[in-house]
RNA sequence: GGGCCUCUAGCUCAGGUGGUUAGAGCGUACCCCUGAUAAGGGUAAGGUCUCUGGUUCGAGUCCAGAGAGGCCCA
């Protein structure tokens, strides 16, 4: 007789080796074929619980990187959790498709000469690229296990979406937030377009650096200080902006000086004497201070422009830094934002004699058609010839560059459409304060950013985008914007797409019988500018939430922390502008994925890791588990080493699942009902622990603390299950009669815990849980995702019983080091061949142990236990432990001695006596089992 | 230059309102098991909490400064 054949060893087809890269695609196929995402939605549709996470659209001009993967996986975890909790939680993915990067890509890829082909052709090719990449990204997200309405994503190029873009402009206009104005904007003369702040990169650049003298014209001021003449000094690194100079700005109410050097009098701030700017004679102190005066005396004085017959006015400005340069700032309202604001305040002319290619217009005749870069030297020469140049040199500084073509940009005043952010600032602040920010510092960051937010230039001079819906009267030239007109245009675009604007004549877009709102003329020209792409993604809440889902505001926005300035902010602005409220109730941000040294990933550094490489090597579940174990609100460092750790954690989880599955191979759920009162102590204990676990992890998930969620579950798996409960219960599972009460109740508990584990881990390890779920019997659903999040709250426990088990487990844990020492001395090898000896001089404590004899024996898995109140301290000095019952502490001694018991050949436990069966010796219990199954008569 | 953030064992994370020898897991070393087996169990060694200064009887935990890194902006 082979006794090992009479033992109930685990069996399952759920393999130990995961082989995720190979198996995951099959599971994806299963989800797709069975429409699991949609089934779960349907299931919760009438639950009256809704949770909407609104997806921010990634830009569709490349494959996904780890940042995209992190973002979508985090979103997926939340949506899956909410769905399992019974929420109706549709997740509509989106893509940002218009804009310069794709237009550039089209021009490069298809070698397009912008001046020779029609806008329609460029748009067609841009669309090809955008759609292609959105499809690629979609497949990649699906491969990561992300559940979403992949059949109906929102693309900003969809006509229905475009019409919302157009329509919202009309609504903002009607609400008084839109204006048109000449304004300096970042301008790229290579791309011939204005750029949003988001399209600017700062890089170091070497610029010419000159100090220029403006001759003071006010005789009264000169007389006061007994001077014949004096010059105001300014320092600039952009000589080409001097033709547009109309003012000189000084810091109000500050100390300024008149100094004399080489028989000339110069006016600068007092501070300027002590900083190391360009002038050598100042650095060397070769000047004489003639007078010191309050800068307010400069107010409204006039100076002569260094090479144009024009006066420049002296004005106060708070932003002037008295310790920077001369402390007096050359002001050209057409070429700088602060200059512009000063210009507006004092009604100065806004000069902008530069065309779209960066060349001077005929406003300045000697510079006509000359590019700003060439103009610098010409201007410097003229100033030098006029003997007004005090210094010329080079200066390296951080300077704005175009994010696409990497060329330096300029400030240039042009007519643009603006969204008046200043006007709604109070409302924005109010709304921001009502949003729940995760992490909390998001609130402060958002408020700080809003404070400095300038008005939003909405217009772009490009073709790949949505047209700004304005018609210009061909008679009075005034722009026509109103609700009737805009809604009409939106209607056309919703049917024909924005291509229509580029294909059709201007008058195609006016409603029947429409006349100019100013002069009643009936012939119009189209606006040629398109919307900033940020505007397009900024109205996603109007299209996806308000229009389609009929649910606004959303419960959550979740993006990288860079979006405080980006999508969070622009969405807030359009939402307040149109609907007077924020588009989100809560905002959650994540950090960036960095390399193992904590550096950002850059192509130039060669440290970029492709998420799909990780998926192909380890599997998507590994990447998901990795992200779920990080504190993602900070930046995340990723490396092979870290992934190896994750693989180990994964294996442990998988093996535990597999072991439980294996022990359920003959489980019969109908054996009896789960009635807590019927169960044995350890079964109650493990269920109690699981209930505790559920309560804890739900708290973590509500706060989006996935790493604590996973760690807590993993802790349970390692400590409570694998090393304790499962290890102890092997004896029952393997050697007890199949239908014994002990074995069946253990199986029942294992069944419920496993099923629950698969559900609570599903949001993280979707593939593995789904696969394991298929091996679980007695389930009602075809997918783990169609289950409900487990709830043990209606199970009540006798806390005295539970605490009792806890006490004994603590006794066991603190006894193990003593056992380990004895084992290493060679006295014995395993616990079950030893006798546990407990010494205490407290008889009530010994009674306590006597009453828990069975439990102690089960947990310790020893052959026997001996309790004693007499002992020799000398023999036990290293065997003292502290034992607690409640808050009462006892000191006692623990010893293990090798028993002379005999090993049962079937269950491998040790007994005082065994029975002989055929050629084997077995214990009484095993004998009963063998008789029961008829092996022994 | 400004706003915001991060810095605890080799790695990933815990460490309410400041208070005994700073906790886990993974990894490492060693041991046991061979009926979870390219598994399972156990024990141990690893941090003075980035640095400096301060407040305090007492600080990883509060304050100030520095360093390294990240995002956003000028």
């Amino acid at each position: 007789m082979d006794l090992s054949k009479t033992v109930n060893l685990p069996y399952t087809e759920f393999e130990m080796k995961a082989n995720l890269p190979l198996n995951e695609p099959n599971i994806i196929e299963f989800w797709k074929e069975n429409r699991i995402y949609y089934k779960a939605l349907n299931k919760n549709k009438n639950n009256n619980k809704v949770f909407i996470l609104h997806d921010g659209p990634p830009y569709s001009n490349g494959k996904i990187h780890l940042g995209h993967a992190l973002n979508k996986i985090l979103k997926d975890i939340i949506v899956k959790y909410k769905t399992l909790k019974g929420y109706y939680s549709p997740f509509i993915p989106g893509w940002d498709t218009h804009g310069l990067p794709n237009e550039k890509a089209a021009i490069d890829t298809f070698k397009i000469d912008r001046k020779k082909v029609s806008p329609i052709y460029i748009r067609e090719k841009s669309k090809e690229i955008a759609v292609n990449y959105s499809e690629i990204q979609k497949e990649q997200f699906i491969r990561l296990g992300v559940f979403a309405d992949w059949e109906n994503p929102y693309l900003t190029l969809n006509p229905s979406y475009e019409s919302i873009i157009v329509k919202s402009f009309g609504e903002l206009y009607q609400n008084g937030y839109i204006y048109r104005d000449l304004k300096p904007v970042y301008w790229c003369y290579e791309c011939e377009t204005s750029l949003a702040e988001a399209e600017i990169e700062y890089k170091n650049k070497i610029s010419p650096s000159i100090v220029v003298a403006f001759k003071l014209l006010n005789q009264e001021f000169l007389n006061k200080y007994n001077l014949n003449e004096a010059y105001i000094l300014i320092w600039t690194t952009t000589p080409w902006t001097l033709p547009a100079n109309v003012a000189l700005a000084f810091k109000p109410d500050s100390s300024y000086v008149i100094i004399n050097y080489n028989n000339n009098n110069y006016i600068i701030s007092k501070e300027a004497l002590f900083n190391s700017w360009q002038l050598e004679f100042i650095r060397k102190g070769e000047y004489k201070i003639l007078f010191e005066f309050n800068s307010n005396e400069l107010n409204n004085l006039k100076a002569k422009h260094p090479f144009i017959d024009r006066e420049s006015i002296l004005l106060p400005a708070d932003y002037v830094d008295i310790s920077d340069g001369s402390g007096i700032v050359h002001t050209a309202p057409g070429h700088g934002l602060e200059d512009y604001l000063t210009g507006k305040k004092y009604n100065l002319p806004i000069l902008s004699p530069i065309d779209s290619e960066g060349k001077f217009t005929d406003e300045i005749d000697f510079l006509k058609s000359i590019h700003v870069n060439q103009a610098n030297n010409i201007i410097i020469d003229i100033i030098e010839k006029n003997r007004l140049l005090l210094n010329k040199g080079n200066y390296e500084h951080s300077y704005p560059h175009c994010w696409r073509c990497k060329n330096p940009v300029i400030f240039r005043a042009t007519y643009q459409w603006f969204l008046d952010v200043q006007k709604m600032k109070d409302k924005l602040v109010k709304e921001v304060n009502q949003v729940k920010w995760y992490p909390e510092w998001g609130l402060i960051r958002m408020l700080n950013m809003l404070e400095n937010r300038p008005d939003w230039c909405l217009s772009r001079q490009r073709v790949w985008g949505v047209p700004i819906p304005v018609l210009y009267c061909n008679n009075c030239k005034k722009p026509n914007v109103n609700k009737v007109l805009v809604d009409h245009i939106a209607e056309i675009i919703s049917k024909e797409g924005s291509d229509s604007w580029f294909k059709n004549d201007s008058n195609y877009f006016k409603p029947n019988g429409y006349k100019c709102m100013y002069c009643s003329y009936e012939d119009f020209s189209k606006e040629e500018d398109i919307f900033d792409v940020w505007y397009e993604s900024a109205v996603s809440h109007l299209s996806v939430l308000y229009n389609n889902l009929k649910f606004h505001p959303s419960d959550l926005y979740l993006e990288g922390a860079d979006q405080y300035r980006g999508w969070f902010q622009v969405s807030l602005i359009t939402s307040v502008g149109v609907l007077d409220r924020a588009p989100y109730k809560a905002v959650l941000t994540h950090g960036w994925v960095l390399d193992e040294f904590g550096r950002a990933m850059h192509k130039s550094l060669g440290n970029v890791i492709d998420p799909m490489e990780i998926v192909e090597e380890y599997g998507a579940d590994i990447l998901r588990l990795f992200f779920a174990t990080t504190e993602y609100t900070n930046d995340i460092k990723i490396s092979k080493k870290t992934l190896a750790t994750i693989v180990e954690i994964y294996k442990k989880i998988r093996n535990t699942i597999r072991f439980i599955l294996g022990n359920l191979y003959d489980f019969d759920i109908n054996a009896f009902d789960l009635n807590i009162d019927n169960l044995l102590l350890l079964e109650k204990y493990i269920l109690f622990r699981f209930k505790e676990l559920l309560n804890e992890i739900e708290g973590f998930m509500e706060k989006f603390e996935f790493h604590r969620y996973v760690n807590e579950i993993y802790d349970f798996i390692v400590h409570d299950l694998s090393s304790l409960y499962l290890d102890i219960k092997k004896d029952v599972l393997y050697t007890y009669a199949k239908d014994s009460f002990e074995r069946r109740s253990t199986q029942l508990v294992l069944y419920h815990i496993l099923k629950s584990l698969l559900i609570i881990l599903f949001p993280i390890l979707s593939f593995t849980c789904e696969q394991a779920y298929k091996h679980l019997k007695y389930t009602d659903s075809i997918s783990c995702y169609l289950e409900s999040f487990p709830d043990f709250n209606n199970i009540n426990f006798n806390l005295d019983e539970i605490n009792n088990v806890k006490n004994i487990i603590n006794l066991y844990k603190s006894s193990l080091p003593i056992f380990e020492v004895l084992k290493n001395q060679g006295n014995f090898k395993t616990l079950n061949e030893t006798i546990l000896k407990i010494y205490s001089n407290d008889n009530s404590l010994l009674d306590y142990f006597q009453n828990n004899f069975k439990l102690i024996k089960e947990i310790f898995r020893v052959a026997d236990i001996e309790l004693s109140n007499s002992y020799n301290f000398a023999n036990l000095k290293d065997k003292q432990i502290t034992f607690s019952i409640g808050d009462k502490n006892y000191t006692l001694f623990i010893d293990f001695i090798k028993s002379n018991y005999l090993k049962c050949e079937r269950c491998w436990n040790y007994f005082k006596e065994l029975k002989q069966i055929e050629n084997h010796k077995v214990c009484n219990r095993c004998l009963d089992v063998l008789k029961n199954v008829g092996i022994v008569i």
Side-chain angles (χ1 to χ4, degrees):
Chain A
M1 182 168 55
D2 184 357
L3 284 176
S4 69
K5 293 255 165 67
T6 72
V7 163
N8 310 308
L9 295 182
Y11 173 77
T12 176
E13 282 169 9
F14 181 72
E15 290 184 35
M16 178 176 280
K17 185 155 169 43
N19 210 344
L20 294 173
L22 224 68
N23 288 327
E24 285 175 344
N26 299 328
I27 297 165
I28 290 169
E29 203 47 44
F30 164 80
W31 286 330
K32 193 180 167 189
E33 262 178 37
N34 293 282
R35 303 180 63 75
I36 298 302
Y37 166 78
Y38 297 100
K39 281 195 174 117
L41 266 190
N42 256 335
K43 175 173 162 258
N44 292 343
K45 198 157 198 166
N46 301 317
N47 282 5
N48 268 334
K49 288 159 82 181
V50 180
F51 185 89
I52 307 287
L53 199 179
H54 179 44
D55 188 32
Y59 197 77
S60 64
N61 71 331
K63 297 182 175 183
I64 64 167
H65 57 244
L66 275 171
H68 291 122
L70 169 68
N71 180 259
K72 278 289 198 294
I73 287 173
L74 294 178
K75 287 171 176 168
D76 189 50
I77 290 171
I78 293 170
V79 171
K80 280 174 176 163
Y81 169 77
K82 288 290 179 184
T83 301
L84 288 166
K85 287 291 278 182
Y87 288 82
Y88 174 70
S89 189
F91 183 67
I92 317 295
W95 277 278
D96 199 6
T97 55
H98 286 132
L100 201 54
N102 274 336
E103 189 177 328
K104 269 254 176 202
I107 287 168
D108 294 346
T109 308
F110 299 102
K111 309 260 187 298
I112 293 172
D113 183 343
R114 288 178 59 201
K115 283 165 187 149
K116 285 184 186 158
V117 303
S118 72
I120 285 291
Y121 180 76
I122 297 177
R123 286 172 57 87
E124 210 174 278
K125 291 299 172 192
S126 302
K127 182 175 177 178
E128 249 177 58
I129 286 179
V131 170
N132 178 40
Y133 277 118
S134 72
E135 285 299 320
I136 288 173
Q137 291 189 0
K138 179 163 111 180
E139 288 310 313
Q140 293 185 312
F141 288 139
I142 289 173
R143 181 63 189 84
L144 293 175
V146 177
F147 282 14
D149 191 352
W150 296 117
E151 293 171 14
N152 307 290
Y154 74 91
L155 268 65
T156 54
L157 55 69
N158 289 343
S160 60
Y161 192 100
E162 290 180 324
S163 77
I164 297 293
I165 296 169
V166 167
K167 212 170 159 180
S168 63
F169 179 78
E171 277 159 32
L172 286 170
Y173 189 92
Q174 199 174 21
N175 292 345
Y177 291 121
I178 300 292
Y179 68 93
R180 185 171 182 259
D181 197 11
L182 195 63
K183 197 166 181 179
V185 290
Y186 287 111
W187 187 272
C188 177
Y189 47 71
E190 281 297 321
C191 303
E192 290 183 53
T193 183
S194 63
L195 297 168
E197 299 98 280
E199 296 170 330
I200 295 293
E201 288 174 357
Y202 281 82
K203 288 194 297 189
N204 274 2
K205 172 182 187 287
I206 295 173
S207 296
S209 158
I210 57 170
V211 176
V212 183
F214 281 62
K215 187 177 182 189
L216 193 65
L217 295 173
N218 294 68
Q219 199 56 47
E220 207 176 312
F221 180 89
L222 295 172
N223 288 344
K224 180 177 174 189
Y225 294 102
N226 259 327
L227 304 169
N228 284 329
E229 55 176 27
Y231 293 86
I232 312 274
L233 298 188
I234 63 102
W235 172 55
T236 182
T237 55
T238 51
W240 63 268
T241 61
L242 284 168
N245 172 284
V246 292
L248 299 171
F250 58 86
K251 179 100 174 168
D253 208 25
S254 305
S255 243
Y256 277 60
V257 291
I258 304 170
I259 57 171
N260 182 280
Y261 168 70
N262 212 3
N263 293 324
N264 284 312
N265 303 319
Y266 300 119
I267 296 176
I268 57 175
S269 72
K270 191 181 176 190
E271 273 296 305
L273 294 172
F274 309 112
N275 79 60
S276 58
W277 53 303
Q278 306 292 309
L279 293 182
E280 197 179 333
F281 72 84
I282 287 184
R283 282 202 303 272
K284 291 190 173 170
E286 296 166 349
Y287 57 85
K288 211 171 91 191
I289 298 177
L290 302 180
F291 301 102
E292 182 175 342
F293 64 98
N294 186 301
S295 61
N296 291 345
E297 288 183 40
L298 294 171
N299 201 6
N300 276 321
L301 301 190
K302 304 227 164 59
K304 189 179 178 326
H305 192 284
F307 53 87
I308 291 172
D309 187 15
R310 187 200 298 154
E311 288 177 355
S312 192
I313 187 166
L314 278 135
L315 294 170
D318 282 321
Y319 57 81
V320 175
D321 183 352
I322 48 169
S323 62
D324 189 35
S326 65
I328 297 165
V329 175
H330 143 58
T331 300
H335 295 312
L337 194 61
E338 286 175 329
D339 302 32
Y340 167 80
L341 293 172
T342 303
K344 274 278 162 192
K345 191 168 173 185
Y346 296 101
N347 254 328
L348 304 174
I350 294 166
L351 305 179
S352 187
I354 312 287
D355 70 13
S356 64
E357 294 177 326
K359 292 177 181 165
F360 276 86
T361 63
D362 52 12
E363 276 175 71
I364 314 290
D365 49 352
F366 73 96
L367 290 169
K368 187 182 171 187
S369 296
I370 292 171
H371 194 274
V372 292
N373 290 341
Q374 274 81 55
N376 278 336
N377 283 333
I378 298 172
I379 288 167
I380 292 170
D381 285 348
I382 286 193
I383 299 170
E384 193 159 25
K385 210 165 68 195
N386 292 346
R387 311 175 69 93
L388 294 169
L389 187 72
L390 274 79
N391 176 274
K392 68 174 172 181
N394 289 315
Y395 183 75
E396 187 173 354
H397 58 153
S398 173
Y399 189 86
H401 288 69
C402 174
W403 71 336
R404 295 311 304 175
C405 70
K406 311 294 179 194
N407 281 303
V409 301
I410 59 173
F411 257 107
R412 173 175 178 255
T414 57
Y415 276 105
Q416 304 285 343
W417 288 100
F418 285 90
L419 198 159
D420 194 339
V421 179
Q422 313 315 314
K423 204 173 187 174
M424 62 169 76
K425 221 163 237 186
D426 291 346
K427 277 185 192 169
L428 294 174
V429 168
K430 194 179 145 226
E431 286 300 307
V432 164
N433 273 297
Q434 283 172 12
V435 171
K436 178 103 175 116
W437 298 90
Y438 299 93
E440 283 177 15
W441 49 256
L443 172 67
I444 294 160
R445 185 163 179 175
M446 197 66 183
L447 288 174
N448 279 332
M449 283 185 171
L450 279 178
E451 203 169 317
N452 304 313
R453 165 85 211 198
D455 283 352
W456 183 2
C457 177
L458 295 177
S459 39
R460 290 298 117 97
Q461 295 69 44
R462 279 276 155 174
V463 298
W464 181 228
V466 174
I468 295 176
V470 175
L471 292 180
Y472 293 88
C473 172
N474 280 344
N475 179 42
C476 71
K477 308 291 181 199
K478 285 183 179 163
N480 275 235
V481 192
N482 55 63
K483 192 161 167 49
V484 174
L485 180 62
V486 171
D487 283 355
H488 182 70
I489 296 170
E491 182 67 23
I492 294 173
I493 285 178
S494 77
K495 288 180 187 137
E496 304 174 19
S498 59
D499 276 350
S500 180
W501 189 263
F502 297 86
K503 281 179 188 161
N504 293 295
D505 179 77
S506 305
N507 292 315
Y508 179 74
F509 297 97
K510 60 175 192 181
N512 239 343
Y514 183 82
K515 291 175 182 166
C516 174
M517 53 202 282
Y518 303 103
C519 71
S520 296
Y521 199 68
E522 295 184 24
D523 190 38
F524 296 90
S525 298
K526 294 177 289 191
E527 166 67 61
E528 293 193 340
D529 288 359
I530 61 169
F531 283 105
D532 173 14
V533 272
W534 279 107
Y535 183 79
E536 299 195 16
S537 63
V539 298
S540 63
H541 59 91
L542 293 175
S543 174
V544 179
L545 298 176
Y546 192 83
N547 252 39
N548 296 353
L549 291 173
K550 314 286 180 213
F551 192 92
H552 189 290
S554 70
D555 291 290
L556 185 68
Y557 273 36
L558 164 52
E559 305 296 332
D562 53 330
Q563 299 303 333
Y564 285 105
R565 185 67 184 195
W567 194 55
F568 299 149
Q569 200 187 78
V570 294
S571 296
L572 177 73
I573 290 168
T574 60
S575 188
V576 166
V578 175
L579 296 171
D580 225 27
R581 60 167 181 257
Y584 35 70
K585 290 181 200 153
V587 173
L588 170 61
T589 60
H590 61 251
W592 284 53
V593 185
L594 310 175
D595 74 5
E596 60 180 311
F597 306 108
R599 298 170 314 183
M601 291 187 187
H602 289 298
K603 272 183 197 152
S604 56
L605 281 173
N607 60 351
V608 178
I609 300 174
D610 179 351
M612 300 324 277
E613 257 175 46
I614 295 173
V615 169
E616 278 157 32
E617 190 176 343
Y618 300 93
D621 264 1
I622 298 298
L623 188 59
R624 297 176 67 93
L625 185 58
F626 168 70
F627 285 140
T629 53
T630 58
E631 217 288 82
Y632 64 83
T633 61
N634 293 330
D635 295 332
I636 297 169
K637 284 190 276 185
I638 188 166
S639 67
K640 289 262 173 189
K641 196 176 171 186
T642 312
L643 285 172
T645 299
I646 298 300
V647 168
E648 290 309 312
I649 289 169
Y650 174 83
K651 280 185 183 168
K652 181 73 184 183
I653 295 172
R654 186 178 179 94
N655 278 329
T656 305
I657 291 171
R658 179 171 184 268
F659 180 70
I660 299 177
L661 270 177
N663 280 296
L664 292 174
Y665 74 96
D666 67 333
F667 172 57
D668 178 4
I669 198 165
N670 300 315
F672 50 84
D673 288 331
L674 175 60
N675 183 342
I676 187 75
D677 299 324
N678 290 341
L679 294 173
L680 297 170
L681 280 177
L682 267 182
E683 275 61 41
K684 288 183 190 174
Y685 173 77
I686 198 71
L687 284 175
F688 174 82
R689 281 288 302 126
F690 197 78
K691 179 181 172 179
E692 275 189 328
L693 172 72
L694 287 176
N695 288 334
E696 265 177 305
I697 63 172
E698 284 188 48
F700 293 144
M701 194 52 100
E702 294 301 328
K703 288 181 281 180
F704 312 116
E705 293 175 345
F706 309 146
H707 64 290
R708 305 185 77 169
Y709 182 90
V710 176
N711 277 338
E712 211 60 32
I713 296 173
Y714 185 68
D715 244 41
F716 176 80
I717 288 176
V718 170
H719 292 125
D720 295 277
L721 282 182
S722 190
S723 105
L724 192 78
Y725 184 72
L726 296 178
D727 213 38
I728 290 169
K729 285 295 167 182
K730 279 183 207 171
D731 184 42
V732 169
L733 290 164
Y734 294 177
T735 69
Y736 280 48
K738 280 195 173 185
D739 280 324
S740 64
F741 166 76
E742 289 88 344
R743 185 160 180 276
R744 288 303 186 208
S745 59
T746 299
Q747 283 183 316
L748 184 70
V749 165
L750 285 182
Y751 172 82
H752 283 285
I753 285 178
L754 176 61
K755 188 171 157 189
S756 300
L757 265 183
L758 295 182
I759 297 166
I760 65 179
L761 282 172
F762 187 87
I764 319 283
L765 297 172
S766 305
F767 293 98
T768 303
C769 291
E770 187 71 293
Q771 199 190 16
Y773 184 81
K774 286 180 184 306
H775 290 85
L776 197 63
K777 291 187 288 187
Y778 308 113
T779 54
D780 309 321
S781 313
I782 56 167
S783 166
C784 187
Y785 194 50
L786 300 175
E787 290 280 352
S788 294
F789 204 82
D791 184 355
F792 280 36
N793 281 326
N794 51 8
I795 307 178
N796 292 311
F797 295 90
N798 177 337
L799 288 182
D800 288 340
E801 277 182 356
I802 298 298
N803 284 329
N804 208 24
V805 179
K806 276 187 185 168
N807 293 340
I808 304 304
I809 289 172
N810 286 337
L811 178 72
Y812 168 67
K813 299 256 177 198
S814 41
S815 301
L816 280 172
I818 296 169
F819 170 77
E820 188 70 11
V821 170
L822 295 169
K823 184 187 79 177
N824 288 335
Q825 286 170 1
N827 297 342
F828 38 71
K829 290 191 165 176
T830 60
L831 270 170
N832 66 353
E833 59 183 300
T834 68
I835 292 169
L836 168 67
K837 302 192 104 173
I838 304 176
Y839 301 94
S840 169
N841 51 18
D842 187 328
N843 284 327
S844 68
L845 186 61
L846 293 177
D847 286 346
Y848 174 82
F849 291 137
Q850 187 60 50
N851 292 336
N852 287 290
F853 192 91
K854 215 180 143 198
L855 183 63
I856 297 172
K857 192 159 179 295
E858 185 179 22
I859 290 173
F860 275 75
R861 287 154 280 169
V862 287
D864 214 340
I865 304 166
E866 287 176 12
L867 305 170
S868 171
N869 60 2
S870 69
Y871 49 89
N872 182 343
F873 181 77
N875 296 338
L876 294 169
K877 61 177 168 10
D878 294 327
K879 298 170 182 175
Q880 180 178 318
I881 63 165
T882 302
F883 176 70
S884 309
I885 299 175
D887 47 13
K888 208 166 171 199
N889 291 331
Y890 301 90
T891 297
L892 48 81
F893 298 93
I894 291 291
D895 202 0
F896 294 90
I897 58 167
K898 186 174 168 63
S899 73
N900 53 8
Y901 292 9
L902 304 163
K903 184 179 181 179
C904 167
E905 290 179 44
R906 183 171 176 277
C907 70
W908 298 352
N909 290 315
Y910 286 72
F911 298 90
K912 279 181 184 159
E913 51 175 43
L914 298 176
K915 294 276 163 58
Q916 184 80 31
I917 296 297
E918 298 178 16
N919 55 341
H920 299 293
K921 284 184 170 141
V922 299
C923 67
N924 283 324
R925 202 184 65 209
C926 285
L927 184 64
D928 284 347
V929 173
L930 293 173
K931 279 180 180 165
N932 237 321
V933 292
I935 290 174
V936 176
I937 303 155

